[in-house]
């Protein structure tokens, strides 16, 4: 592992990163993350790999409780040289398409899964496409891969935002906003869950199937907000307890996978709206929030190319018209992602903390869900009635995907916001405020959104119990104003309009691409005829 030294220069850190070590800066200390913990990290390995060679202080403090932070000291191997207390970041290898994999001899070696596109008008942007298999693969990344491209951001300004964010975080802690409101917060929610479940059961017993299906869909709709809290360890603040409750709600009652959601959602939070890295804007061939996706980008999360072809161009050209129809069937996408994740994990021996028992419990939970839900459908009396019940109970959940970021999409919270990559220099608070927006909602209606309409504050403090987000958002708005940062918020109607405008703008460009492709095909055919 190498000897511990008192102070590491940027060049020394770069050399170690190129040698395959996972090094992260935290409060000007250098952490060496062993492969065993990289595999066992509850938030997934990508949550760490995206910060190799970078200062991840704000992200680590935002995502981990005090007990976990205390354990980080065991990974400290020294301090880092800084300029005026500011660490100049490196580009993590994952962001230029380099990952570590086991070679034929069982040893870890560099593998080039993707390659950066040539710089665009935005010099700081690094977008990935699949590596040409015809090209010879080099032995690993070089120092040039770790040097950040030019950016319009000032490192000093970003450090100032970061320092102010740390002060804001202390104010949040001192205000007691990490304390869960079990009675006043979750009390009414539990009553709402029981009311919806009882209403669905009673209606079903009286053969009022439409009412029963609607109530069941609304129950699923509401439960995912609590699953969201549990996935962030924002309820009991104990990983095991929160995970057990989450599996009960998400898998046994909802038929989904909280393990998949956590793995996906953490990456979304850390690289929000990055076209090559955020899985929650990777919706080709059906949706594209930027023309950047026309370049058939590589997804570092899904490990595949998001192909943009004639079929994609046609579907994208209609996306603003099909948008709400797609969202109506959003839960089926959740099933596909959840079950695909569980299937992959069945053959993945690199299990995260609690990965073995939680995986088995999730599989049992999903099987139990289809057992009881299948019995409900069978009891409808006929295929037509069962299909009607099935579709209504699933389509009712679609408002979830429009209102707030949860399982499927980001929609109002992110679809209309920036997808630019401003490079590793960008601070955590600057990135979250630039890529996230709130949905304005009066307090008495916030339960419809699950309280997650306050996405800006949630993205800055993901472990914060959502019943405290409104109070915390007042402090965040003060912070944004003091730092001259934009705190974006839209009404529900105007927010939908913003999203549709973005989708239509991309759709119009896709239509032009399709027309050009058709013209080129016709020309090619005419030349052959001649």
């Amino acid at each position: 592992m190498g000897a511990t030294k008192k102070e590491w220069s940027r060049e020394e850190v770069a050399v170690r990163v190129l040698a395959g070590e996972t090094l992260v800066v935290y409060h000007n200390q250098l952490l060496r993350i062993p492969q065993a913990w990289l595999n066992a990290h509850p938030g997934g390995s990508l949550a760490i790999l995206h910060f190799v060679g970078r200062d991840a202080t704000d992200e680590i403090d935002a995502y981990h409780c005090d007990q976990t932070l205390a354990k980080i000291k065991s990974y400290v191997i020294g301090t880092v040289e800084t300029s005026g207390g500011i660490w100049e970041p490196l580009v993590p290898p994952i962001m230029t398409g380099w990952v570590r994999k086991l070679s034929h001899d069982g040893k870890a070696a560099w593998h080039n899964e993707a390659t950066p596109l040539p710089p665009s008008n935005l010099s700081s942007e690094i977008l990935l496409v699949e590596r040409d298999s015809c090209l010879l693969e080099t032995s690993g990344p070089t120092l040039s891969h770790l040097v950040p491209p030019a950016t319009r951001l000032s490192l000093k300004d970003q450090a100032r935002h970061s320092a102010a964010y740390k002060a804001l975080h202390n104010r949040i802690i001192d205000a007691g906003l990490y304390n869960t409101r079990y009675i006043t917060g979750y009390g009414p929610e539990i009553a709402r869950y029981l009311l919806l479940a009882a209403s669905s059961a009673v209606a079903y017993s009286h053969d009022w199937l439409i009412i029963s299906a609607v109530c069941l869909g609304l129950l699923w709709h509401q439960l995912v907000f609590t699953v969201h809290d549990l996935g962030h360890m924002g309820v009991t603040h104990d990983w095991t307890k929160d995970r057990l409750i989450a599996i009960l709600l998400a898998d046994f009652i909802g038929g989904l996978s909280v393990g998949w959601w956590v793995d996906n959602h953490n990456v979304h939070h850390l690289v929000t709206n990055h076209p090559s890295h955020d899985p929650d804007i990777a919706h080709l061939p059906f949706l594209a929030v930027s023309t950047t996706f026309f370049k058939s980008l590589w997804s570092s999360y899904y490990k595949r190319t998001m192909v943009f072809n004639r079929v994609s161009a046609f579907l994208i050209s209609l996306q603003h018209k099909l948008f709400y129809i797609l969202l109506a069937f959003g839960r089926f996408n959740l099933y596909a992602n959840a079950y695909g994740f569980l299937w992959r994990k069945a053959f993945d021996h690199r299990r995260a903390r609690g990965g073995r028992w939680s995986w088995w419990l999730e599989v049992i939970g999903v099987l139990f869900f289809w057992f009881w839900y299948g019995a409900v459908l069978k009891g409808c009396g006929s295929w037509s009635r069962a299909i009607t019940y099935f579709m209504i109970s699933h389509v009712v959940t679609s408002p979830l995907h429009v209102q707030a970021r949860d399982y499927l999409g980001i929609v109002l919270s992110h679809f209309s916001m920036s997808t630019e990559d401003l490079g590793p220099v960008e601070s955590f608070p600057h990135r979250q405020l630039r890529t996230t927006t709130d949905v304005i909602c009066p307090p008495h209606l916030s339960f419809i959104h699950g309280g997650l309409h306050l996405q800006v504050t949630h993205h800055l403090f993901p472990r914060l119990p959502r019943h405290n987000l409104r109070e915390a958002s007042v402090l965040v708005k003060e912070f944004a104003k003091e730092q001259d940062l934009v705190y974006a918020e839209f009404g529900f109607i105007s927010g939908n309009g913003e999203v549709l405008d973005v989708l239509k703008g991309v759709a119009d460009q896709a239509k032009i691409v399709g027309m050009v492709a058709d013209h080129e095909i016709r020309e090619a055919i005419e030349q052959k005829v001649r």
Side-chain angles (χ1 to χ4, degrees):
M1 299 225 1
T4 299
K5 65 195 300 288
K6 184 177 180 181
E7 190 172 66
W8 295 76
S9 68
R10 187 169 181 263
E11 292 72 22
E12 289 173 320
V13 171
V15 169
R16 292 301 187 100
V17 168
L18 294 175
E21 294 189 25
T22 304
L23 303 179
V24 177
V25 176
Y26 176 64
H27 286 294
N28 288 337
Q29 295 178 313
L30 189 63
L31 308 180
R32 181 193 286 122
I33 311 300
Q35 186 63 42
W37 180 243
L38 193 64
N39 296 339
H41 184 235
S45 60
L46 283 175
I48 296 176
L49 294 177
H50 279 297
F51 290 89
V52 171
R54 299 171 61 185
D55 187 339
T57 302
D58 294 337
E59 289 84 353
I60 291 174
D61 285 343
Y63 278 86
H64 300 88
C65 62
D66 291 340
Q67 293 87 339
T68 302
L69 293 177
K71 298 177 182 178
I72 287 179
K73 295 178 181 179
S74 62
Y75 299 130
V76 175
I77 60 172
T79 59
V80 292
E81 289 183 3
T82 61
S83 176
I86 304 173
W87 170 256
E88 186 178 351
L90 301 171
V91 175
I94 186 73
M95 289 193 168
T96 54
W98 288 95
V99 295
R100 301 282 289 177
K101 287 188 175 182
L102 293 179
S103 57
H104 297 298
D105 59 4
K107 295 181 179 179
W110 286 111
H111 170 68
N112 188 201
E113 64 181 11
T115 185
L117 284 170
S120 62
N121 294 332
L122 184 63
S123 61
S124 60
E125 194 163 54
I126 302 176
L127 299 173
L128 300 180
V129 293
E130 188 170 4
R131 189 182 70 87
D132 189 342
S133 59
C134 296
L135 298 177
L136 292 176
E137 183 172 332
T138 56
S139 58
T142 63
L143 185 59
S144 63
H145 290 98
L146 304 185
V147 177
T151 177
R152 64 173 182 255
L153 299 179
S154 161
L155 187 58
K156 288 185 177 180
D157 285 344
Q158 295 305 305
R160 174 171 54 82
H161 296 326
S162 179
Y165 170 79
K166 291 178 177 64
L168 171 64
H169 199 173
N170 287 331
R171 291 181 66 190
I172 295 287
I173 294 172
D174 293 341
L177 296 180
Y178 275 102
N179 298 328
T180 302
R181 298 182 181 181
Y182 291 108
I183 303 300
T184 59
Y186 284 105
E189 294 208 14
I190 293 173
R192 192 179 306 123
Y193 302 158
L194 294 175
L195 176 62
L196 289 170
S199 298
S200 180
V202 170
Y204 186 84
S205 68
H206 285 80
D207 205 33
W208 303 333
L209 297 185
I210 302 298
I211 296 175
S212 175
V214 169
C215 290
L216 179 58
L218 291 176
L219 175 62
W220 288 340
H221 169 275
Q222 288 290 304
L223 282 177
V224 293
F225 296 127
T226 296
V227 174
H228 175 278
D229 300 345
L230 293 160
H232 278 297
M233 287 178 57
V235 180
T236 70
H237 307 291
D238 177 273
W239 186 90
T240 302
K241 293 177 182 177
D242 279 357
R243 183 54 59 93
L244 283 170
I245 301 171
I247 291 175
L248 172 64
L249 300 180
D251 298 71
F252 281 78
I253 299 178
L256 301 173
S257 165
V258 68
W260 158 73
W261 179 82
V262 170
D263 188 78
N264 175 290
H265 193 61
N266 282 335
V267 176
H268 157 71
H269 264 270
L270 294 168
V271 287
T272 310
N273 272 19
H274 192 297
S276 284
H277 303 299
D278 184 352
D280 282 342
I281 59 172
H283 296 308
L284 280 180
F286 300 107
L287 292 172
V289 296
S290 168
T291 56
T292 299
F293 287 98
F294 295 179
K295 301 174 182 178
S296 291
L297 300 180
W298 172 264
S299 169
S300 64
Y301 179 84
Y302 289 113
K303 304 299 181 187
R304 61 174 172 81
T305 297
M306 297 175 282
V307 179
F308 182 79
N309 51 26
R310 292 190 68 195
V311 174
S312 303
F314 174 73
L315 292 173
I316 297 302
S317 70
L318 300 173
Q319 64 178 357
H320 56 300
K321 299 177 180 179
L322 300 175
F323 180 56
Y324 294 109
I325 296 175
L326 290 171
L327 292 183
F329 294 94
R331 197 170 183 87
F332 299 108
N333 184 59
L334 309 188
Y335 289 141
N337 281 309
Y339 301 158
F341 174 83
L342 291 175
W343 174 258
R344 292 191 300 273
K345 285 299 178 181
F347 306 97
D348 188 354
H349 299 293
R350 300 173 303 166
R351 297 287 177 84
R353 171 190 170 186
R356 186 171 299 279
W357 66 259
S358 63
W359 182 85
W360 277 108
L361 193 57
E362 286 208 77
V363 171
I364 293 170
V366 168
L367 292 175
F368 177 80
F369 166 79
W370 286 110
F371 173 78
W372 74 258
Y373 187 57
V376 168
L377 296 177
K378 184 177 180 181
C380 290
S382 69
W383 277 106
S384 60
R385 284 157 60 91
I387 292 173
T388 300
Y389 191 99
F390 178 83
M391 293 305 299
I392 291 176
S393 61
H394 281 73
V395 171
V396 165
T397 65
S398 63
L400 166 71
H401 312 310
V402 180
Q403 290 164 358
R405 164 68 186 99
D406 211 281
Y407 281 105
L408 166 68
I410 33 186
V411 189
L412 294 190
S413 305
H414 302 287
F415 267 27
S416 63
M417 301 302 286
S418 171
T419 58
E420 293 181 337
D421 173 19
L422 299 186
V425 167
E426 186 174 26
S427 65
F428 176 64
H430 188 279
R431 181 169 60 255
Q432 300 307 331
L433 284 160
R434 179 176 61 85
T435 58
T436 311
T437 180
D438 280 358
V439 178
I440 300 171
C441 175
H444 65 280
L445 292 179
S446 63
F447 76 93
I448 299 175
H449 302 272
L452 289 174
H453 56 292
L454 299 169
Q455 280 288 292
V456 174
T457 302
H458 169 60
H459 263 252
L460 288 171
F461 304 102
R463 290 186 301 109
L464 205 65
R466 78 185 135 89
H467 304 106
N468 297 335
L469 288 177
R470 185 175 293 276
E471 187 176 346
S473 69
V474 176
L475 301 179
V476 173
K477 289 179 180 179
E478 292 177 2
F479 159 80
K481 185 176 181 180
E482 291 169 358
Q483 293 298 307
D484 198 25
L485 296 172
V486 176
Y487 187 109
E489 52 185 352
F490 302 106
F492 184 76
I493 302 300
S494 61
N496 274 270
E498 291 282 338
V499 171
L500 290 175
D501 285 346
V502 169
L503 294 178
K504 187 179 185 303
V506 177
D508 290 342
Q509 292 299 312
K511 188 175 182 179
I512 294 173
V513 171
M515 292 170 62
V516 171
D518 289 340
H519 178 70
E520 291 176 347
I521 291 173
R522 284 196 299 271
E523 281 191 341
I525 293 174
E526 290 174 359
Q527 288 178 357
K528 285 186 177 181
V529 171
R530 293 172 185 171

